[in-house]
Amino acid sequence: DDDVTEVYSSSMQTEIETIVSECEILKKRGNEAFGTGEYGQAILQYSLSIDKAAELPNSSLFATDIVLSNRSAAFLKLGQHEKAEGDAKAALKLNPDNVKALFRLGLALHAAGQYESAMPILGQALQREPHNKQIQQAVKFCEVRLEQERRKRMEQ
């Protein structure tokens, strides 16, 4: 009986390692496509990685939040703000400490013109990474947009 359990555990472990390896390969392909500006291809590879990771018995075996955050960035590049927002939120659900996902959520909201929603999220990202120049710049842009919106309201 112990032999059967050991063989089963061993084959399960091998299967898990194979799935994780496939997820990593697909993520890497997505990163390469993103790096060359092929955002549609990046989204496809990230999606395949996410789908493959769903086959794992435990979500902690592969950092799906990173792939979701990466796919969010690709959606942002293509101007698909709602999809970028959805992926960033899904990534944060899996890992609330994912600063890139938090930042990308803020960017997606900002890009959609939801400056009042974006500002506190970008502020949280900046709190976590105060020296990140991209986050600092996004916060400044959002502050400018918020001020422009407030002025418009005052004029009406």
Side-chain angles (χ1 to χ4, degrees):
D1 210 26
D2 286 344
D3 289 342
V4 171
T5 304
E6 191 175 313
V7 168
Y8 178 75
S9 294
S10 176
S11 71
M12 272 297 284
Q13 186 60 35
T14 302
E15 188 177 333
I16 288 169
E17 288 170 2
T18 301
I19 293 170
V20 170
S21 176
E22 288 177 36
C23 290
E24 288 291 346
I25 289 166
L26 292 164
K27 176 181 133 186
K28 184 177 179 222
R29 286 182 189 157
N31 290 346
E32 289 167 358
F34 187 94
T36 59
E38 299 173 65
Y39 304 118
Q41 183 63 26
I43 288 167
L44 173 64
Q45 295 301 319
Y46 293 144
S47 297
L48 291 170
S49 179
I50 292 163
D51 291 347
K52 194 69 177 167
E55 296 175 19
L56 292 167
N58 184 328
S59 64
S60 69
L61 295 169
F62 179 71
T64 305
D65 67 296
I66 293 171
V67 183
L68 283 162
S69 179
N70 290 356
R71 191 171 72 176
S72 175
F75 279 131
L76 280 169
K77 291 287 189 180
L78 293 178
Q80 297 181 19
H81 312 305
E82 284 182 21
K83 289 180 179 180
E85 180 184 343
D87 275 356
K89 284 180 176 176
L92 288 167
K93 201 172 202 177
L94 291 172
N95 179 4
D97 295 325
N98 186 326
V99 178
K100 283 186 178 181
L102 190 63
F103 177 50
R104 289 170 181 154
L105 175 58
L107 289 178
L109 293 168
H110 183 275
Q114 298 176 35
Y115 310 118
E116 287 189 26
S117 298
M119 193 64 216
I121 291 166
L122 291 171
Q124 284 177 34
L126 186 60
Q127 259 185 331
R128 293 183 191 180
E129 285 191 12
H131 303 294
N132 185 313
K133 300 285 185 213
Q134 285 183 309
I135 298 173
Q136 290 172 0
Q137 188 177 28
V139 167
K140 285 179 187 170
F141 279 135
C142 197
E143 286 171 341
V144 168
R145 293 290 188 199
L146 274 171
E147 187 56 35
Q148 288 172 341
E149 251 188 19
R150 286 186 187 121
R151 285 185 188 157
K152 266 188 187 174
R153 279 190 228 129
M154 297 291 270
E155 291 170 4
Q156 292 176 351

